[in-house]
Amino acid sequence: MSGPITVVITTSPIAALLSAAAIRAAQAVYQGYANAAALQQQHQRQNETRTAVQSAAQQQGQAALGEEARSAEIAFDQLLGLAERLGLTEQVRATRPAPPLADSADALAAYVRALQALSADLRAILLTEAARQSDQFAEQAVDLPVPAAAPRSLAQRLLLRIAELGAVPENIQSVAHELDAQLPGERAELLATELRARIQAHIEALQQQQVQQATATIVEQSLKDLGYQVEEIGSTLFVEGGVVHFRRQSWGKYMVRMRVNAQTSSVNFNVVRAVSEGQNERSVLDHLAEDRWCAEFPALLKALELRGVQLDVTRRLAAGELPVQLVDADKLPSFADEDASAPLTQPLQRELK
């Protein structure tokens, strides 16, 4: 039996990042299919007449879409080359959405958009990881548009590590400028060491932010895969902290509150019950609600672990040791009175048994 549970989150960065990228790609395909179905129903209701001109335009569009699909697949295959150098070929390949089986423009469009978005995700993930691992590797992996004959200072060579990772922070630029202006000697060596350290810290901070955003995606989708209705989880939940609620449709007024402490990388789960203002009576069902959540919690642990997110339990109180928290219903999310949506994806490593 269990009441409130506190866990500390640890992640396998690359596994979590790739899992989240695969989830987003699957969501894009799913949304594309849903949009196409809605449009098809709309067209059927309107009884549109297809003329020869419309048919020709449609064929032209299909050909262009096919070319776009080939370009997207080539771009993905190019990313596999970088993934191979990082030892991540199979993990990256596993994120690729399956091409549509049906000869449908709508299905192909959904696939193309998902593959393009996935490639953009993967490019950021892989370039950051390449830069994190080694400055020499990063310089080889990133094809920068710099003339081969152009001389490069030590500072410029070091900055190549993060050339593809967005704007260079001021605290890095200032050291790089100072190093450029410094004559060779002990001072220059100290500045180079400091510049390397700041670049490495910047890369690790970027990857940590990516991982935190990925964790939010993984937690939300894993809960949905397990059949829960979930309050929308923002991408900053594990960056800034906050509270999220989830429940099963059959739980009535009960739900689980998940409170994230970003400072300590810890999460607290506890059962709450929605009540009207001023109500404070206890119910014999409170104990059963805690027991029910206790029985289901291991499945969530397993689902998250398979996607690179580990929850290590640091505190677990017995059911009834603390009373179920009573919360004004107006301060809790309102869930639709229907079952949670079907899972979009399965864990990358293996299916849950």
Side-chain angles (χ1 to χ4, degrees):
M1 297 189 298
S2 175
I5 302 170
T6 302
V7 301
V8 172
I9 298 178
T10 55
T11 57
S12 173
I14 293 300
L17 290 169
L18 294 180
S19 292
I23 288 170
R24 287 190 289 268
Q27 289 172 336
V29 171
Y30 181 86
Q31 189 60 52
Y33 286 174
N35 292 343
L39 281 174
Q40 186 176 19
Q41 289 179 355
Q42 181 182 353
H43 291 165
Q44 288 173 348
R45 286 195 301 268
Q46 293 173 345
N47 278 331
E48 292 183 343
T49 303
R50 299 188 180 277
T51 65
V53 174
Q54 288 174 321
S55 179
Q58 195 174 47
Q59 289 176 0
Q60 211 171 32
Q62 183 86 357
L65 191 57
E67 185 59 36
E68 197 174 357
R70 284 187 287 275
S71 296
E73 288 169 342
I74 289 171
F76 184 89
D77 290 339
Q78 289 172 341
L79 285 171
L80 286 175
L82 177 55
E84 183 178 6
R85 302 178 70 176
L86 290 166
L88 298 170
T89 307
E90 293 309 312
Q91 295 96 315
V92 170
R93 185 178 284 120
T95 67
R96 184 175 187 164
L101 299 177
D103 185 16
S104 160
D106 293 328
L108 183 58
Y111 166 72
V112 170
R113 302 295 170 258
L115 190 57
Q116 289 171 335
L118 174 62
S119 293
D121 263 0
L122 292 176
R123 187 173 188 276
I125 291 168
L126 295 175
L127 286 176
T128 304
E129 176 61 14
R132 186 193 67 80
Q133 286 189 17
S134 161
D135 55 344
Q136 181 181 3
F137 179 85
E139 290 186 28
Q140 295 172 358
V142 180
D143 185 16
L144 296 171
V146 178
R152 296 179 188 171
S153 67
L154 174 59
Q156 289 172 333
R157 291 198 305 274
L158 293 175
L159 288 177
L160 286 178
R161 267 184 94 183
I162 55 176
E164 292 289 315
L165 304 183
V168 178
E170 176 58 33
N171 72 322
I172 292 177
Q173 287 182 343
S174 61
V175 176
H177 292 325
E178 189 176 353
L179 177 58
D180 271 338
Q182 190 71 36
L183 293 174
E186 184 178 356
R187 174 64 179 166
E189 291 175 3
L190 290 173
L191 287 170
T193 299
E194 177 63 19
L195 182 56
R196 288 188 181 94
R198 293 192 183 192
I199 288 172
Q200 184 71 19
H202 174 61
I203 292 166
E204 291 176 356
L206 285 177
Q207 188 174 77
Q208 178 62 19
Q209 185 178 33
Q210 291 175 348
V211 170
Q212 289 170 327
Q213 293 171 341
T215 302
T217 298
I218 289 169
V219 169
E220 182 172 10
Q221 189 58 50
S222 296
L223 286 168
K224 289 179 178 178
D225 287 350
L226 292 170
Y228 294 103
Q229 296 173 310
V230 188
E231 186 177 11
E232 183 177 353
I233 297 179
S235 62
T236 62
L237 177 67
F238 292 92
V239 180
E240 301 172 359
V243 173
V244 171
H245 300 87
F246 59 92
R247 67 156 203 169
R248 293 193 187 280
Q249 188 272 335
S250 60
W251 283 6
K253 295 181 179 181
Y254 293 95
M255 59 186 70
V256 175
R257 171 175 284 175
M258 182 176 74
R259 186 183 297 275
V260 177
N261 185 327
Q263 302 270 329
T264 60
S265 296
S266 64
V267 178
N268 185 71
F269 297 91
N270 66 287
V271 176
V272 301
R273 175 159 57 91
V275 296
S276 300
E277 186 177 359
Q279 288 182 335
N280 58 7
E281 75 283 357
R282 295 294 161 186
S283 170
V284 293
L285 298 178
D286 291 353
H287 209 82
L288 296 176
E290 289 188 317
D291 285 344
R292 179 175 55 205
W293 166 236
C294 170
E296 297 184 9
F297 183 63
L300 176 60
L301 293 179
K302 189 66 172 178
L304 293 175
E305 182 183 357
L306 288 173
R307 283 171 164 155
V309 177
Q310 180 84 31
L311 300 186
D312 298 312
V313 177
T314 59
R315 184 186 72 139
R316 192 165 189 162
L317 301 182
E321 190 169 338
L322 290 178
V324 165
Q325 188 175 355
L326 305 182
V327 181
D328 189 341
D330 292 338
K331 297 179 181 179
L332 291 171
S334 178
F335 292 103
D337 195 17
E338 57 186 21
D339 291 333
S341 58
L344 291 178
T345 60
Q346 293 295 333
L348 297 181
Q349 290 84 347
R350 60 185 183 275
E351 294 184 352
L352 290 176
K353 300 299 184 183

